[in-house]
Amino acid sequence: MGRFLAPLTVLTAFATLAKAGIHFTSPKGGDKLTAGDAIKVEWEEKGSGPGPDDLTTYQLFLCAGPNDASDANTINFDLQVSGNFAKGGSSAQGTTTTTIGGNTKNAYYVKMIATGAKGGTYTVFSDRFSYSGMTASFSPALEATLKKVDGTSGPAAVDSTVKNPADVSNVADDAYDVEYTMQTGPTRYASMQPVPPTKITAKTAKRRYPTSSVNVAKSKLPIPSQQTTLTQSQTHKVSSMENTVAAAPMPSDDMAKFLRRWQD
């Protein structure tokens, strides 16, 4: 009997270790919620991807849009809900207003953006559900994309967490050279911040970059598709040493008399 128990124990331990990922259990796919009521969000550790032990904090958003989470027509409504995985718990509650969208069937889903313990983010989505009682309406472009949605499955999870902190500087070396405004996708890369010089040598001030035109928005702008910005790590090193020189004693001459004047 013993020779069979050992492999079974190993398999059970492996299954426990393999359990990870975040899976929403509420709202369920196809649910119909009432606008204005509190929305209860629940999740469990299931599937693949980073689990609560690999994450630190999270934010929850209510979204309406297609399964392409980066689609510019997608509406992201902040539920003003955030939490900390280290404190436990697998549920949260937020509120909505009746004016954020329409009543299109299965138009909505919940998005969680969780911060990785070693850096980066893990974005996971719930199944799709509906709202009744919404007093606003979706834009024609969003309605057109929603008509192409089939079923109640939400967008696929996006794992951008850092697995090894030593690899952060090598995650996308070439991407840091691309101008920020020219980058696309949910994650963008900001170049390394310059190191201040040890002394000022410039005699006159001049612009570092040319001026750019500004277009004033005359209507509501779409929600930005980017979700995370990674800033390139500094490569310079700073060294310091202890000052071993003893502090100067208090003055005992006329200066001491001057200082005592202010003690009254």
Side-chain angles (χ1 to χ4, degrees), residues 1-86:
M1 181 65 71
R3 70 179 64 182
F4 294 102
L5 287 177
L8 180 59
T9 303
V10 173
L11 288 175
T12 303
F14 180 80
T16 302
L17 292 174
K19 184 180 180 181
I22 301 295
H23 173 73
F24 286 101
T25 58
S26 177
K28 294 182 174 64
D31 279 355
K32 192 170 185 178
L33 308 183
T34 302
D37 288 353
I39 174 174
K40 187 173 183 180
V41 182
E42 298 177 320
W43 61 89
E44 62 182 359
E45 187 177 355
K46 181 181 178 182
S48 60
D53 292 341
D54 306 312
L55 306 168
T56 55
T57 59
Y58 65 83
Q59 285 183 289
L60 294 177
F61 301 85
L62 175 66
C63 304
N67 278 348
D68 180 3
S70 63
D71 191 292
N73 294 310
T74 298
I75 296 176
N76 291 269
F77 179 71
D78 190 354
L79 290 173
Q80 300 294 322
V81 176
S82 60
N84 192 320
F85 286 104

Side-chain angles (χ1 to χ4, degrees), residues 86-158:
K87 295 182 179 180
S90 57
S91 65
Q93 185 169 292
T95 57
T96 63
T97 65
T98 60
T99 59
I100 62 173
N103 299 295
T104 304
K105 183 178 180 180
N106 294 330
Y108 298 89
Y109 55 84
V110 173
K111 174 174 68 175
M112 173 190 286
I113 301 180
T115 304
K118 298 179 181 179
T121 58
Y122 177 49
T123 307
V124 63
F125 307 88
S126 74
D127 287 337
R128 312 182 71 86
F129 53 91
S130 307
Y131 263 108
S132 64
M134 287 292 181
T135 58
S137 58
F138 295 130
S139 66
L142 180 52
E143 284 285 5
T145 58
L146 289 174
K147 291 180 179 179
K148 300 177 183 179
V149 175
D150 185 21
T152 59
S153 296
V158 180

Side-chain angles (χ1 to χ4, degrees), residues 208-230:
R208 185 174 181 183
Y209 300 104
T211 58
S212 57
S213 60
V214 176
N215 296 322
V216 179
K218 298 181 180 179
S219 60
K220 186 177 180 179
L221 297 176
I223 300 297
S225 59
Q226 63 269 23
Q227 302 173 2
T228 306
T229 295
L230 299 179

Side-chain angles (χ1 to χ4, degrees), residues 165-263:
D167 296 336
V168 173
S169 60
N170 299 320
V171 169
D173 287 339
D174 294 338
Y176 289 114
D177 296 330
V178 180
E179 187 176 344
Y180 187 86
T181 56
M182 299 299 292
Q183 299 177 32
T184 59
T187 302
R188 294 193 183 186
Y189 302 89
S191 58
M192 183 189 308
Q193 298 299 307
V195 179
T198 56
K199 59 181 180 179
I200 300 176
T201 58
K203 303 300 182 182
T204 58
K206 63 179 180 179
R207 296 183 182 274
R208 185 174 181 183
Y209 300 104
T211 58
S212 57
S213 60
V214 176
N215 296 322
V216 179
K218 298 181 180 179
S219 60
K220 186 177 180 179
L221 297 176
I223 300 297
S225 59
Q226 63 269 23
Q227 302 173 2
T228 306
T229 295
L230 299 179
T231 303
Q232 193 173 15
S233 301
Q234 284 283 4
T235 56
H236 78 289
K237 296 182 179 180
V238 178
S239 59
S240 60
M241 60 181 295
E242 180 183 0
N243 184 2
T244 58
V245 178
M250 288 295 293
S252 58
D253 50 10
D254 291 341
M255 178 57 69
K257 299 178 182 179
F258 176 78
L259 293 176
R260 280 198 294 270
R261 291 180 55 194
W262 305 103
Q263 294 179 358

